[in-house]
Amino acid sequence: MAASSNSSLSGSSLSSDPEDYQPPIWKSYLYQLQQEAPRPKRVTCPQEMETRPKYYGREFHGIISREHADVLLGGVEGAYLIRESQRQPGTYTLALRFGHQSLNYRLFYDGKHFVGEKRFESVHDLVTDALITLYIETKAAEYIAKMTTNPIYEHLGYTSLLKDKTVHRLSRARTEPRRVTFQPDEKITSPVVRKTALKDAPEKQCSYEKIHNFKVHTFRGPHWCEYCANFMWGLIAQGVRCSDCGLNVHKQCSKLVPSDCQPDLRRIKKVFSCDLTTLVKAHNTTRPMVVDMCIREIELRGMKSEGLYRVSGFSEHVEDARLAFDRDGDKADISASAFADINIIAGVLKLYLRDLPIPVITFDLYSKFIQSAKIPDSESRLEAIHDALLQLPPAHYETLRYLMAHLKRVTVFEKDNLMNAENLGIVLVQLLCSLQNLMP
């Protein structure tokens, strides 16, 4: 974003049409403060120091006292030097003049220079960033404390655009809202199961909420927070960016951003090992396309295959199918002409489930399912499992529901494939729960 487009927030235009969307006018106060911050002034040592570490320059003055360093800084704002500690030789201190006083920081080097979390290529960059931060936090402490109290996020920018585009897209795709719920199966014969399946239960709306995947980011050039509209100050690591949708905010603002991440397909680098909710939101589907496509192919040509899901496909071909999904997404060719052995398709589905960073049955609900299964009374047990299912995130719930319906159809052919419910459970339960990740 160009600095010239930033002034007060008033005057920004709103439009209900996403095509006419214009970004808000950003708040420039903190940007102006950064421009006013003192510039670093290196105090060089007049003589060559033999003990100078190779990663320091002429700002290194050897072993001198704090008082001597203070004299050398000369009361000049932004002046800095490096000295070696008198009490602890081999340790180094950055002496910096700011706010009419001399500040001393323990200085470290591990390939980059740092005094805190941020790491810099040069001492000069470190001092530049320090002076900006000190100046802004001194001059605008009260402003910074209050800058999240009147955010633009709900009214302008990402959220407004996202809502408009989502409504626009979904209105073309369907007229009725998608719902996830327990559906009665006409083929269910057990009275207990039928009672549970048909029981009145609250419908599970497919809101598909997803938290943002924020990571510390260094912005090249001026950037403004898309939550509070204020400038993100500093030289490096000025804020955080969502690696899934690209939202840029202050670190402190990131704690207040709603769980409304809408992943951008351009940022989703692969299908496998991608969070389940991230993938379905990016593709605007109820389930991952891997699950749909593999099950469709298996039900087309593999339901009578002996040892289905138990017999492994050739590992190199399973890897080829995985690469096809990562490369081509829902355009991947997994037909019989590409992979004649149906065990390869079953294998790639199992691999997808195994590689999920958060399993279909999430870590936090695993123990609830286990406790529910131990309830002696069958009706109470089913009710407890039903309860646990409804607590799953929508994308996980719908994926599990679809898998279970498929596996039930697999058991219809158990005389041919020799895979009854118990055999399928033995093979697949560890993939749905990622039991290996629960080990201490």
Side-chain angles (χ1 to χ4, degrees), residues 340-398:
D341 182 4
I342 199 63
N343 294 312
I344 294 168
I345 308 305
V348 80
L349 177 57
K350 290 192 294 181
L351 179 61
Y352 174 76
L353 296 172
R354 184 183 301 116
D355 282 357
L356 284 172
I358 301 174
V360 176
I361 294 177
T362 57
F363 298 119
D364 56 322
L365 287 173
Y366 172 76
S367 58
K368 190 173 182 67
F369 277 97
I370 295 298
Q371 293 305 315
S372 300
K374 292 178 180 178
I375 297 173
D377 178 65
S378 60
E379 189 163 349
S380 299
R381 180 169 63 250
L382 287 170
E383 183 126 3
I385 292 172
H386 181 275
D387 243 8
L389 286 168
L390 288 175
Q391 292 179 48
L392 285 170
H396 290 247
Y397 175 95
E398 175 58 19

Side-chain angles (χ1 to χ4, degrees), residues 5-6 8-9 12-13 21-26 152 156-158 229:
S5 67
N6 294 271
S8 67
L9 195 58
S12 60
S13 58
Y21 168 76
Q22 293 181 351
I25 298 175
W26 309 97
I152 63 162
L156 297 171
Y158 177 84

Side-chain angles (χ1 to χ4, degrees), residues 1-3 6 26-27 31 217-226 229-233 238 241 246 248 250:
M1 300 175 204
N6 294 271
W26 309 97
K27 302 173 185 177
Y31 176 73
H217 189 78
T218 293
F219 298 95
R220 303 301 177 190
H223 266 72
W224 273 253
C225 175
E226 294 170 42
N230 282 288
F231 178 67
M232 292 195 280
W233 65 90
Q238 303 96 327
R241 168 176 285 175
N248 303 317
H250 291 112

Side-chain angles (χ1 to χ4, degrees), residues 106-398:
R106 178 80 175 274
L107 188 60
F108 301 90
Y109 181 80
D110 63 355
K112 291 191 177 181
H113 303 275
F114 63 100
V115 296
E117 291 182 358
K118 293 184 178 183
R119 282 163 164 72
F120 298 83
E121 296 292 343
S122 69
V123 173
H124 186 272
D125 285 349
L126 185 156
V127 174
T128 302
D129 186 82
L131 289 169
I132 290 169
T133 302
L134 287 167
Y135 187 78
I136 288 178
E137 291 182 355
T138 300
K139 293 282 187 178
E142 189 176 346
Y143 181 88
I144 291 170
K146 294 180 178 178
M147 69 183 184
T148 60
T149 57
N150 186 28
I152 63 162
Y153 189 79
E154 293 296 332
H155 311 291
L156 297 171
Y158 177 84
T159 301
S160 175
L161 181 61
L162 170 62
K163 286 178 181 175
D164 287 339
K165 284 190 172 179
T166 302
V167 170
H168 187 58
R169 181 181 65 224
L170 298 185
S171 64
R172 293 199 308 265
R174 59 182 183 273
T175 55
E176 293 296 322
R178 183 188 299 144
R179 293 180 184 274
V180 177
T181 184
F182 288 98
Q183 297 293 339
D185 189 333
E186 293 176 359
K187 297 179 182 177
I188 293 176
T189 55
S190 165
V192 175
V193 175
R194 184 188 296 114
K195 183 175 181 180
T196 304
L198 300 176
K199 172 179 180 174
D200 287 337
E203 288 193 324
K204 189 175 179 69
Q205 297 287 342
C206 257
S207 62
Y208 282 64
E209 284 191 355
K210 180 188 178 309
I211 61 172
H212 290 271
N213 184 19
F214 286 120
K215 294 180 180 177
V216 174
H217 189 78
T218 293
F219 298 95
R220 303 301 177 190
H223 266 72
W224 273 253
C225 175
E226 294 170 42
Y227 182 81
C228 72
N230 282 288
F231 178 67
M232 292 195 280
W233 65 90
L235 205 61
I236 68 167
Q238 303 96 327
V240 294
R241 168 176 285 175
C242 176
S243 57
D244 294 334
C245 71
L247 182 69
N248 303 317
V249 295
H250 291 112
K251 189 174 181 180
Q252 59 266 46
C253 291
S254 67
K255 300 169 185 175
L256 304 173
V257 175
S259 300
D260 60 357
C261 177
Q262 181 64 39
D264 185 339
L265 276 173
R266 293 171 297 179
R267 297 179 180 276
I268 307 301
K269 305 297 184 187
K270 55 187 178 179
V271 171
F272 279 66
S273 301
C274 177
D275 171 64
L276 202 155
T277 301
T278 299
L279 190 67
V280 299
K281 286 208 75 172
H283 288 269
N284 190 33
T285 57
T286 52
R287 297 175 299 276
M289 92 283 283
V290 179
V291 174
D292 277 8
M293 291 173 64
C294 288
I295 286 177
R296 191 182 308 126
E297 198 66 28
I298 289 167
E299 294 194 353
L300 179 67
R301 59 187 174 96
M303 296 293 268
K304 294 184 179 182
S305 177
E306 185 175 328
L308 182 64
Y309 287 112
R310 179 176 54 79
V311 176
S312 300
F314 190 45
S315 60
E316 285 189 14
H317 291 167
V318 171
E319 180 64 14
D320 288 342
R322 182 189 73 79
L323 290 172
F325 275 115
D326 278 343
R327 183 183 62 247
D328 304 324
D330 57 5
K331 301 293 189 296
D333 181 9
I334 58 169
S335 64
S337 59
F339 301 101
D341 182 4
I342 199 63
N343 294 312
I344 294 168
I345 308 305
V348 80
L349 177 57
K350 290 192 294 181
L351 179 61
Y352 174 76
L353 296 172
R354 184 183 301 116
D355 282 357
L356 284 172
I358 301 174
V360 176
I361 294 177
T362 57
F363 298 119
D364 56 322
L365 287 173
Y366 172 76
S367 58
K368 190 173 182 67
F369 277 97
I370 295 298
Q371 293 305 315
S372 300
K374 292 178 180 178
I375 297 173
D377 178 65
S378 60
E379 189 163 349
S380 299
R381 180 169 63 250
L382 287 170
E383 183 126 3
I385 292 172
H386 181 275
D387 243 8
L389 286 168
L390 288 175
Q391 292 179 48
L392 285 170
H396 290 247
Y397 175 95
E398 175 58 19

